[in-house]
Amino acid sequence: MEIKELETFLAVVAEQSLNKAAEALFLSQSTVTMRIKSLEEKVGCPLFTRTSRGVQLTEQGRLLVPYAERIRRNVEESYHLLATVNAGSKRLAIGAASAIGSYQLPYILGRYVEAQPDVEILCRNGKSNDIFQMLLDEEVQIGMTGAPIHHAALECHALKSDPVHLLTAPEHRLAVQGRAELFDLEAEPFISFAGNSPFWKRIDGELVQYGVRVRRQIEMDSIEGIKRIVMQGIGVTLLPASTVREEVAKQQLVQIPMPIFLERPTYLLHRKQVLEEYEERFLRTCVDFFASL
């Protein structure tokens, strides 16, 4: 039996509705339902019955209420005691979209740890929807995504965007030509992310606004895989500048100027609550890092 399950149980008791309890806890309804189901399995009996107006406690559920309230009070008191004794302990959990977690977050953490060496840090990667759920379920304190997320429980801040570059192998005709026109983009086979990825949807949509429809020859889920194919002289690609800095510096890939400007935005997210000083410092470090790009 977990404290989150008991807290969710008490919220459903107070609201008499799974949906209203989810809103009160800033959780998805599916998470609330899953927690109640898990608790019922552990105690071995149903705790609620469904009605046309919501839910009602069963007899077993009514018996559990005072014990759940007592457990919650004891846990809160123990948290307060431990926080007082261990006031210096700091932990920061960050959820980042895969590309951000691989290519930008390491440099941000390098700056952050230098200024805040006393913080224990946990990093988790995932898609934007995964990060959204991690924030709602309080598994992470900070989220970093390539797409905005709007929710009543969250603050969403836009950071400076990362330019998106057209890239080829050094021996490619566009590298020799030194520039790409819009008709060149339509003529070249592209190595790209899958068409349903948020990054490529955004880029493809912007290209269409310029009247450009590119042909995707190979689709991959990995930026590293895309780079390695293009480095062999197969096709061209569009990738954020921060993901190809090393390859461009080593002349393994060439950035090709083109007549349009594309960019990938980055968003910083956290729950709507008063942040600890060390959490605010991380946000400031992110803002400063992206401003320097």
Side-chain angles (χ1 to χ4, degrees):
M1 190 180 299
E2 298 180 10
I3 184 62
K4 284 186 177 181
E5 294 172 350
L6 291 176
E7 289 175 340
T8 304
F9 167 71
L10 291 173
V12 176
V13 171
E15 300 294 340
Q16 297 184 343
S17 162
L18 295 173
N19 186 47
K20 290 181 179 179
E23 292 177 358
L25 294 170
F26 296 120
L27 296 174
S28 63
Q29 184 171 337
S30 61
T31 299
V32 170
T33 301
M34 181 181 64
R35 289 182 181 179
I36 295 299
K37 182 179 179 181
S38 175
L39 183 58
E40 289 178 331
E41 289 175 353
K42 289 172 182 174
V43 299
C45 60
L47 300 172
F48 296 98
T49 56
R50 274 60 175 176
T51 70
S52 59
R53 295 183 179 180
V55 294
Q56 287 184 341
L57 283 166
T58 62
E59 181 62 30
Q60 295 93 330
R62 280 192 288 273
L63 291 173
L64 180 60
V65 170
Y67 293 96
E69 291 174 339
R70 189 184 310 163
I71 291 171
R72 182 171 62 179
R73 283 196 302 271
N74 289 340
V75 169
E76 289 173 350
E77 290 173 4
S78 68
Y79 284 166
H80 178 73
L81 176 62
L82 291 174
T84 303
V85 173
N86 197 28
S89 178
K90 300 170 185 174
R91 184 176 182 275
L92 181 64
I94 305 160
S98 297
I100 298 170
S102 297
Y103 297 101
Q104 293 164 323
L105 185 57
Y107 296 101
I108 294 170
L109 291 177
R111 295 185 182 189
Y112 179 71
V113 170
E114 185 176 355
Q116 196 82 50
D118 57 333
V119 178
E120 177 187 345
I121 301 170
L122 169 67
C123 299
R124 296 182 60 184
N125 286 356
K127 297 180 180 179
S128 293
N129 287 341
D130 299 327
I131 307 304
F132 169 61
Q133 196 61 53
M134 290 179 200
L135 285 162
L136 290 187
D137 292 344
E138 299 185 18
E139 295 176 10
V140 299
Q141 294 136 278
I142 307 293
M144 302 179 73
T145 66
I149 295 175
H150 303 293
H151 189 275
L154 302 178
E155 294 277 1
C156 181
H157 309 279
L159 298 172
K160 181 181 176 182
S161 296
D162 194 4
V164 172
H165 294 326
L166 176 66
L167 300 146
T168 73
E171 65 275 12
H172 192 278
R173 73 170 186 91
L174 292 180
V176 176
Q177 183 175 303
R179 180 176 174 81
E181 301 301 333
L182 293 183
F183 60 81
D184 288 315
L185 300 181
E186 293 189 313
E188 291 294 333
F190 269 74
I191 317 301
S192 75
F193 291 104
N196 62 352
S197 77
F199 171 76
W200 190 257
K201 278 184 178 179
R202 179 185 179 90
I203 295 301
D204 202 29
E206 292 188 18
L207 290 172
V208 168
Q209 290 181 13
Y210 288 100
V212 177
R213 296 186 180 277
V214 302
R215 175 171 63 89
R216 297 196 299 275
Q217 183 177 28
I218 301 176
E219 296 182 359
M220 301 193 72
D221 289 333
S222 163
I223 289 178
E224 290 300 313
I226 292 172
K227 290 190 291 187
R228 280 168 172 71
I229 292 176
V230 175
M231 284 161 59
Q232 296 177 62
I234 303 172
V236 302
T237 192
L238 288 162
L239 290 174
S242 63
T243 68
V244 295
R245 195 172 286 121
E246 182 177 336
E247 290 81 6
V248 170
K250 293 179 178 178
Q251 298 184 335
Q252 295 171 322
L253 290 172
V254 178
Q255 175 193 339
I256 309 299
M258 56 182 179
I260 57 177
F261 177 75
L262 301 173
E263 58 186 355
R264 184 199 63 182
T266 302
Y267 297 89
L268 200 56
L269 303 110
H270 61 84
R271 292 179 69 87
K272 288 182 178 178
Q273 60 189 32
V274 177
L275 299 179
E276 298 290 341
E277 191 280 331
Y278 69 92
E279 295 171 326
E280 291 184 349
R281 183 187 288 273
F282 180 79
L283 299 185
R284 293 195 300 270
T285 303
C286 289
V287 172
D288 292 343
F289 172 80
F290 277 90
S292 69
L293 293 178

